[in-house]
Amino acid sequence: MREVLQVRFGEIFLKGLNRPVFLRKLVARVRSAVQNVGGHVWLSDSRVYVSDVTDMDEAIRRVTKVFGVHSVCRAIEMEKNDFEAICKQAVELMKDCEGTFKVNARRSDKRYFMDSPMINMELGGYVLEHLPQLQVDIHHPDTVLSVEIRDMAYLYTHPIMAVGGMPVGSNGKATLLLSGGIDSPVAGWMIAKRGVTVDAVHFNSPPYTSERAKQKVLDLAGILSESLCGIRVHVVPFTDIQMQIHEKCHEDYTTIIMRRYMMRIANAIAKKEHSQALITGESIGQVASQTMHALSCTDEVADMPVFRPLIGFDKSEIIAIAQKIGTYETSNLPYEDCCTVFTPRHPATKPKMDIILDGESKLDTEALIAAALENTEVIEL
Ligand code: ATP
Ligand code: MG
């Protein structure tokens, strides 16, 4: 008998043809998550198990963050044929519980000498007899005592919900435009949760943006990196482009034109990185550059899909996710972003394409982009 961590994944994803690929990735992700705290990780009968765990709380903290994991529980693993031993262990497990309970037996070994209703009755009866403070309530129990009869028997009481989603690496790759703000780290996290490998592009404008502002973005990427299984950040020098836009384009159009340059450069990096989409943290109407008109003007320069997972979210909803994933505090640090360096007084909310194109015609777009790409710094986290 020993304690193991039992890890479950969302059943819905197991129905497709890529089930083995999905499972292999999930096992690999769990294995790397429990590095230094768990000895042995294996897949058996639609569950992943971790044994020889040296720090169970830390293992749970890490595994519940792995995309693709639905829930985990501390389970007692024991021989299944000695039913009395199972009953005794159940009493041990339930001895501090009060109020109501029910037994939930599941039997994947159909040759087992008792069926599930019988296990429920026998085990429930034994627990009631030995723990008189408990009553049975099969509809709304305070505690569910689960027993699974597989190769071995597994007993547990309180499953812990995990993040859900699909394992990173099971669903293609996308490139995140990562600022130091609240929204973009959340956007990247949400797409990665669907199994997408994410890398990042950050634009900075030294000396208008400081080294600390850049470090803040790298810190955010570092926080994301645990869930994203590593992240590569491309830091693009954006000062020249911003200066030229500022000097040569209509003031009200500087933001929208700047965003189109960001999009073009991110698009080029994404192609080089074999990404299939871009990700931004935009949501409709948040600022002038995120009106419906403005968003379609930025989309126009990308030749791949632009994912905006926060498009219908209010700021308060985005903040709640940022707090949950641990990026909020860092995002809230007050360092400048290149977007805030040359902000127009009256940014166009319904930008006209002919004015945009007229502004851009005054810039040597190809040379500016080539120079920015050439001087891009790549940082692996
Ligand atoms: P965030 O949206 O991350 O909170 P923000 O609100 O300061 O930051 P916005 O002006 O709303 O930024 O920018 C919209 C989106 O454009 C961001 O979510 C991000 O995807 C992208 N973006 C903005 N600034 C940068 C930057 N310096 N580098 C990379 N991407 C950026
Ligand atoms: Mg924003």
Side-chain angles (χ1 to χ4, degrees):
M1 187 175 71
R2 60 178 177 174
E3 189 181 50
V4 295
L5 186 64
Q6 192 194 56
V7 182
R8 299 127 173 261
F9 31 91
E11 213 177 298
I12 185 166
F13 309 128
L14 301 179
K15 300 193 165 73
L17 283 175
N18 44 13
R19 181 179 197 258
V21 181
F22 172 91
L23 290 178
R24 254 199 318 278
K25 301 239 190 249
L26 189 75
V27 171
R29 298 299 173 228
V30 171
R31 190 166 282 136
S32 78
V34 297
Q35 230 169 26
N36 314 328
V37 290
H40 189 45
V41 178
W42 73 98
L43 174 73
S44 169
D45 203 9
S46 303
R47 301 270 195 262
V48 177
Y49 295 90
V50 188
S51 70
D52 307 300
V53 179
T54 53
D55 182 346
M56 192 54 104
D57 289 338
E58 178 62 11
I60 289 171
R61 191 193 71 76
R62 294 192 207 162
V63 174
T64 49
K65 281 189 180 181
V66 172
F67 295 137
V69 174
H70 167 270
S71 57
V72 303
C73 50
R74 290 167 174 256
I76 304 291
E77 180 190 74
M78 57 194 299
E79 289 300 329
K80 61 187 169 187
N81 289 324
D82 184 351
F83 189 68
E84 194 175 344
I86 292 177
C87 291
K88 284 187 177 148
Q89 189 54 47
V91 169
E92 183 59 28
L93 205 58
M94 297 286 291
K95 68 176 191 294
D96 296 327
C97 295
E98 294 194 350
T100 58
F101 82 106
K102 78 167 183 180
V103 179
N104 184 13
R106 199 183 295 197
R107 190 182 59 140
S108 72
D109 172 7
K110 299 295 177 204
R111 291 163 309 172
Y112 194 63
F113 65 95
M114 295 166 85
D115 64 10
S116 301
M118 219 164 135
I119 299 172
N120 286 340
M121 254 175 48
E122 294 290 326
L123 189 53
Y126 189 97
V127 170
L128 265 184
E129 196 180 311
H130 289 79
L131 299 174
Q133 80 270 23
L134 291 174
Q135 296 102 47
V136 171
D137 179 347
I138 55 166
H139 298 296
H140 304 289
D142 297 321
T143 307
V144 177
L145 167 62
S146 297
V147 50
E148 298 183 6
I149 305 293
R150 300 174 178 274
D151 288 346
M152 305 284 281
Y154 294 91
L155 279 171
Y156 56 87
T157 48
H158 292 94
I160 301 156
M161 291 310 286
V163 63
M166 300 193 210
V168 168
S170 61
N171 252 334
K173 183 170 178 186
T175 295
L176 167 69
L177 283 83
L178 179 63
S179 73
I182 295 166
D183 307 331
S184 48
V186 172
W189 183 88
M190 285 177 71
I191 297 297
K193 180 166 177 272
R194 301 302 302 160
V196 178
T197 302
V198 171
D199 69 351
V201 176
H202 174 66
F203 298 90
N204 72 348
S205 295
Y208 301 101
T209 60
S210 65
E211 199 50 39
R212 284 191 311 180
K214 173 180 159 189
Q215 189 54 48
K216 171 185 172 182
V217 174
L218 295 178
D219 290 346
L220 284 170
I223 296 168
L224 291 176
S225 137
E226 188 182 4
S227 297
L228 272 55
C229 306
I231 183 167
R232 178 180 293 175
V233 186
H234 303 258
V235 181
V236 182
F238 205 50
T239 320
D240 280 354
I241 294 178
Q242 278 198 286
M243 296 292 280
Q244 293 221 14
I245 294 172
H246 184 63
E247 278 162 25
K248 297 179 181 166
C249 302
H250 189 303
E251 189 197 336
D252 298 354
Y253 277 69
T254 51
T255 303
I256 186 76
I257 292 175
M258 180 194 75
R259 300 205 55 80
R260 280 164 57 95
Y261 277 86
M262 283 185 172
M263 221 52 161
R264 288 183 175 105
I265 293 169
N267 196 98
I269 292 174
K271 278 190 166 164
K272 211 166 63 189
E273 289 286 329
H274 307 291
S275 277
Q276 294 130 307
L278 299 173
I279 309 165
T280 79
E282 290 160 312
S283 88
I284 295 175
Q286 193 186 73
V287 287
S289 62
Q290 295 173 32
T291 61
M292 297 277 280
H293 276 82
L295 291 175
S296 68
C297 292
T298 30
D299 266 3
E300 205 242 353
V301 296
D303 63 7
M304 59 179 77
V306 181
F307 294 153
R308 297 183 170 94
L310 307 179
I311 198 72
F313 281 45
D314 294 350
K315 198 74 184 186
S316 58
E317 294 169 308
I318 301 170
I319 288 173
I321 304 175
Q323 284 168 332
K324 187 177 89 176
I325 67 174
T327 52
Y328 182 68
E329 272 185 23
T330 306
S331 289
N332 237 357
L333 296 172
Y335 304 130
E336 66 292 339
D337 180 70
C338 71
C339 285
T340 52
V341 175
F342 304 106
T343 328
R345 279 162 295 182
H346 306 290
T349 52
K350 285 189 182 173
K352 296 196 174 52
M353 197 47 93
D354 52 339
I355 302 182
I356 291 176
L357 294 175
D358 178 57
E360 290 180 355
S361 72
K362 296 171 190 156
L363 275 64
D364 187 348
T365 299
E366 228 168 86
L368 283 170
I369 290 179
L373 289 173
E374 198 176 307
N375 294 307
T376 292
E377 181 189 2
V378 180
I379 299 163
E380 300 270 356
L381 295 165

